[in-house]
Amino acid sequence: MNIILIGPQGSGKGTQAENIAEHYGNKHFSTGDAFRHMARSGTELGKKLANIMEKGELVPDEMVDEVVAHYVQEHKHEGLIFDGFPRTVKQAQYLDSITHIEAVVDINISDEEAVRRIAKRFSCPKCGESYNTKSNPPKETGICDNDGEQLTQRKDDNEEAVRKRLKAYHEKTEPLIQHYKEKGTPVHVIDGEQPIDNVFIDVQKALGEKKVA
Ligand code: AMP
């Protein structure tokens, strides 16, 4: 079963995607993580991607579609959770042409809460684990629980880039809800301002208890 997670920056999508992957056995696919990995490669393409992401802009569709097509083909026998893709109706139409989506989970938070949370978001440059200094702090301040690395803030997690990403989210990504409703795909709206565990309880209520992968 393929699931799409929709929500603004800071809504906890990545954390919930990990929870779903662990509980239901789906494979977590984050386009943001894929692009950050490519950006670190130091190639010309990587530098171009890093520049786009630092400004909070969207990566061009052709590049996104190619990465997604490759991943979907590689994991065609597994249930996938798409995190950060699709971000536009055009991307959703492309995804519809290569695979079937059974459910959409929409995690809602206000813009002000998103800005507040992102200012407190730190991640591990080595393993990618994400922390929030208030709601999900590491055991030792500034240090990754998994590997002891010094935590850093993402370059695109500054207020200007966050506001730009939120604007793009409202204009380009929110219309996806209507797109999937029109197709008859179940869309589950979850209150993302609750504590992380409660958000996952609501996700489970929405998706059901059975294994979906
Ligand atoms: P995220 O980790 O989902 O916040 O993504 C980080 C950055 O990667 C975004 O700000 C975009 O620059 C890029 N990106 C990730 N997914 C997409 C997508 N589906 N379409 C275009 N750009 C994307």
Side-chain angles (χ1 to χ4, degrees), residues 7-10 13 30-36 49-61 64-65 68 83-88 91 118 121 154 156-157 161 165:
Q9 295 72 43
K13 271 193 319 306
S30 155
T31 41
D33 284 350
F35 293 138
R36 276 184 287 280
L49 282 169
N51 186 35
I52 293 172
M53 287 192 286
E54 272 174 37
K55 288 193 279 188
E57 290 169 3
L58 289 182
V59 173
D61 280 345
V64 182
D65 291 352
V68 172
D83 164 10
F85 179 89
R87 258 179 160 88
T88 63
Q91 289 182 0
I118 299 278
R121 178 157 86 174
R154 273 168 51 172
D156 57 351
D157 277 355
R165 278 146 72 205

Side-chain angles (χ1 to χ4, degrees), residues 8-122:
Q9 295 72 43
S11 61
K13 271 193 319 306
T15 305
Q16 296 305 328
E18 288 298 329
N19 286 343
I20 293 172
E22 195 176 317
H23 186 81
Y24 293 101
N26 293 50
K27 194 111 189 133
H28 176 192
F29 177 44
S30 155
T31 41
D33 284 350
F35 293 138
R36 276 184 287 280
H37 182 77
M38 290 164 77
R40 283 196 294 269
S41 67
T43 59
E44 277 313 305
L45 174 64
K47 285 183 200 152
K48 203 170 148 195
L49 282 169
N51 186 35
I52 293 172
M53 287 192 286
E54 272 174 37
K55 288 193 279 188
E57 290 169 3
L58 289 182
V59 173
D61 280 345
E62 315 80 66
M63 220 185 271
V64 182
D65 291 352
E66 196 181 321
V67 170
V68 172
H70 184 78
Y71 196 88
V72 168
Q73 173 63 21
E74 205 173 9
H75 299 279
K76 62 182 173 203
H77 301 302
E78 292 163 273
L80 298 177
I81 308 163
F82 293 93
D83 164 10
F85 179 89
R87 258 179 160 88
T88 63
V89 170
K90 197 154 166 269
Q91 289 182 0
Q93 286 162 342
Y94 177 72
L95 187 62
D96 293 341
S97 75
I98 59 168
T99 193
H100 179 68
I101 300 301
E102 275 86 1
V104 176
V105 174
D106 171 22
I107 305 184
N108 252 321
I109 61 168
S110 68
D111 285 7
E112 290 320 309
E113 178 65 8
V115 172
R116 270 196 297 274
R117 285 186 184 183
I118 299 278
K120 297 190 177 79
R121 178 157 86 174
F122 288 81

Side-chain angles (χ1 to χ4, degrees), residues 130-203:
S130 191
Y131 298 89
N132 180 296
T133 51
K134 186 162 170 249
S135 61
N136 180 30
K139 291 193 185 90
E140 194 184 330
T141 308
I143 303 292
C144 179
D145 292 350
N146 298 338
D147 49 32
E149 281 290 311
Q150 186 83 38
L151 300 177
T152 54
Q153 271 201 302
R154 273 168 51 172
K155 283 201 177 139
D156 57 351
D157 277 355
N158 60 78
E159 183 159 347
E160 192 190 340
V162 171
R163 295 253 179 224
K164 204 189 247 183
R165 278 146 72 205
L166 285 170
K167 188 165 179 280
Y169 177 78
H170 293 305
E171 287 174 5
K172 298 185 172 155
T173 308
E174 265 174 0
L176 290 179
I177 309 281
Q178 195 53 28
H179 170 81
Y180 285 107
K181 280 187 177 162
E182 279 167 16
K183 279 174 63 76
T185 309
V187 176
H188 306 285
V189 181
I190 310 279
D191 172 8
E193 296 202 9
Q194 316 172 73
I196 294 173
D197 291 349
N198 295 17
V199 175
F200 189 54
I201 289 172
D202 282 357
V203 169

